[in-house]
Amino acid sequence: MMRVKMAIIAMVVAAVAVAQTTGGDMMQQQVAPTRYDYTQVARQITEGCSSKYEQAYAIYRWLCDNISYDTSYSIYTADECWDNRRGVCQAYSELFYRLAEPLGLETHIVRGDAKGPGGIEGHAWVFVIVEGTGTGILVDPTWGAGSVNGSTFTHREDDDSWFHVDPYWMIFTHFPDEASYQFLPQPLSRSQFDALPEIKPFWGKYGFNAKEIFDRCMAGNDDFPKIYISGMDKLGLADVPMERTLRVGERYRFAVQKLQQCDLALIDNAFHGDWQQSGDIYYMEYMPTVGGKLHLGFKQGSGRSYSTVVEYEVAQPTAADLARLEAANPMLMPEITGLDGFDAAALQKYGIDGGELLAAVRRGEVVGLPTFYDSAGDCVIDEMPLNGTLRLGQSYTFTLRPRNGVKWAIINEGSWNRTWNIDQSTGAMSMTVTPMNAGKLVLAVQMKQGGTYEYCISFNVK
């Protein structure tokens, strides 16, 4: 059973009294007559509940789990809904009312409009008194049960985001005919409601504060990223950018709490999974390098597919964006990342200077990079040809500072070069080679005495 939340928003108490005097009684008279006594089934559904709040939750869960939405739009009353185990929003709400009635659980059916996939249309939900006189909660069992796509209804398991909905979340999608059922200090006008983005209460499950999001929208800052329900109860979004559009060259912080075991990634045109960890919080500093989509995603188990939790748009870079990116990290400039053979990890491993590489690209000296192999050999390369294609008979200098490996060699189609000039003060090894054979020229390393040589970097010779 869901943990009981009795810290009801104080303003609701006063608002209920208004609802009861302005429209509450009228709404109860609109419930269709019933031919059934729901007492026994109501007691069965709420067996073991120790409070009105728990009873309301039990009824909500039963409706979500057992009633399907009527995509023929023909079932509107509690009795028809009970008989057929399906109904439209009015039927869900009336059946909630009939199951609550024999328990002494006061329920108000709220009618109005709601924002859904098909636009804004008529809808019904409930307000339930759960503690004391006039203290209650907003509940939408229809939307908690699942979603409709055309003529297909899909159940959504264990979605409690539509039970005990904060009024600040509710107003983003639900506009009651009776303004008192907004339960806001200052009710919104219809035009204000229409202008609000479509934000669902499951945002609260990720850790967002309803009033803060509401106030931000009222201040005109409503260009939020697209947030999906897929990670609800699996992740907390401790710190993520709240603007939908990100800029190339800007740095953004992502901090995600794992509520369940899963893998996390930021995915743009590449895969970013190098998170740092502090307790159950995983964080990363991310800088976009190209325009397009950015997804924060997760996966559970051994599958390869990631489910999107947050989606951003990275704007196509302006000259100012590219200048900022070049100043921050020239190695990530599109002129480099778009080269054949680009491997950020390998370039970093060998200490290739991004500024020098970018300058060589702009001079037209580099049109593609050499091939980097997954080798155990490690060194810092102070000098080498940066273009992946070399010319027969032209001389090239290689200067490197080994971090490991016993011996290093440059091999050109069976022609071995092992004689290095060594700087005793720095340990740097230098060699100038002139490839005489078309094919491959390879920098290779011997990891142990007498062992075979591993390829580290390969060039084409033409």
Side-chain angles (χ1 to χ4, degrees), residues 24 92 176 255 259 347 403:
Y92 274 90
L259 305 178
L347 292 167
R403 292 192 178 109

Side-chain angles (χ1 to χ4, degrees), residues 223-421:
D223 186 29
F224 296 105
K226 188 172 183 178
I227 299 179
Y228 294 83
I229 198 171
S230 57
M232 185 179 71
D233 298 326
K234 300 177 182 68
L235 302 175
L237 300 176
D239 186 11
V240 297
M242 289 306 292
E243 61 269 35
R244 179 168 179 77
T245 304
L246 308 184
R247 305 296 317 185
V248 165
E250 290 281 4
R251 295 188 181 276
Y252 299 94
R253 175 179 167 81
F254 288 81
V256 181
Q257 180 186 25
K258 288 187 181 181
L259 305 178
Q260 297 182 18
Q261 183 57 43
C262 62
D263 294 325
L264 298 171
L266 288 176
I267 306 166
D268 47 23
N269 61 328
F271 183 91
H272 308 272
D274 188 19
W275 298 84
Q276 294 180 288
Q277 182 180 358
S278 178
D280 61 353
I281 301 294
Y282 292 75
Y283 58 94
M284 177 190 300
E285 189 177 77
Y286 165 82
M287 183 171 62
T289 61
V290 294
K293 298 283 189 183
L294 171 69
H295 299 267
L296 169 62
F298 77 98
K299 74 177 182 71
Q300 293 182 300
S302 58
R304 300 180 63 183
S305 177
Y306 278 72
S307 298
T308 297
V309 177
V310 190
E311 179 183 286
Y312 298 90
E313 296 283 349
V314 179
Q316 293 302 318
T318 63
D321 294 334
L322 292 174
R324 185 171 55 244
L325 176 61
E326 182 176 349
N329 191 342
M331 187 67 78
L332 298 179
M333 289 291 287
E335 294 145 287
I336 295 179
T337 59
L339 292 172
D340 288 342
F342 175 75
D343 184 334
L347 292 167
Q348 181 179 18
K349 171 184 176 180
Y350 290 113
I352 306 300
D353 184 88
E356 292 181 6
L357 177 56
L358 182 61
V361 171
R362 288 174 174 172
R363 291 193 300 266
E365 298 170 3
V366 176
V367 295
L369 293 168
T371 300
F372 296 93
Y373 295 91
D374 186 13
S375 169
D378 191 9
C379 68
V380 174
I381 295 178
D382 295 328
E383 182 181 1
M384 77 169 188
L386 297 175
N387 197 50
T389 300
L390 307 183
R391 295 299 178 187
L392 280 170
Q394 185 171 332
S395 296
Y396 301 93
T397 298
F398 290 77
T399 302
L400 56 95
R401 287 173 285 142
R403 292 192 178 109
N404 62 16
V406 176
K407 295 179 180 179
W408 292 76
I410 296 176
I411 311 165
N412 176 212
E413 292 296 329
S415 178
W416 286 69
N417 302 273
R418 297 189 179 93
T419 303
W420 298 85
N421 296 315

Side-chain angles (χ1 to χ4, degrees), residues 30 33 49 106 109 113 120 150 154 163 189 193 205 225 237 245 292 305 369 393 422:
Q30 294 180 11
C49 296
E106 183 181 345
I109 297 178
D113 289 330
I120 298 178
T154 303
F163 179 80
S189 67
F193 168 76
K205 299 286 187 176
L237 300 176
T245 304
S305 177
L369 293 168
I422 300 176

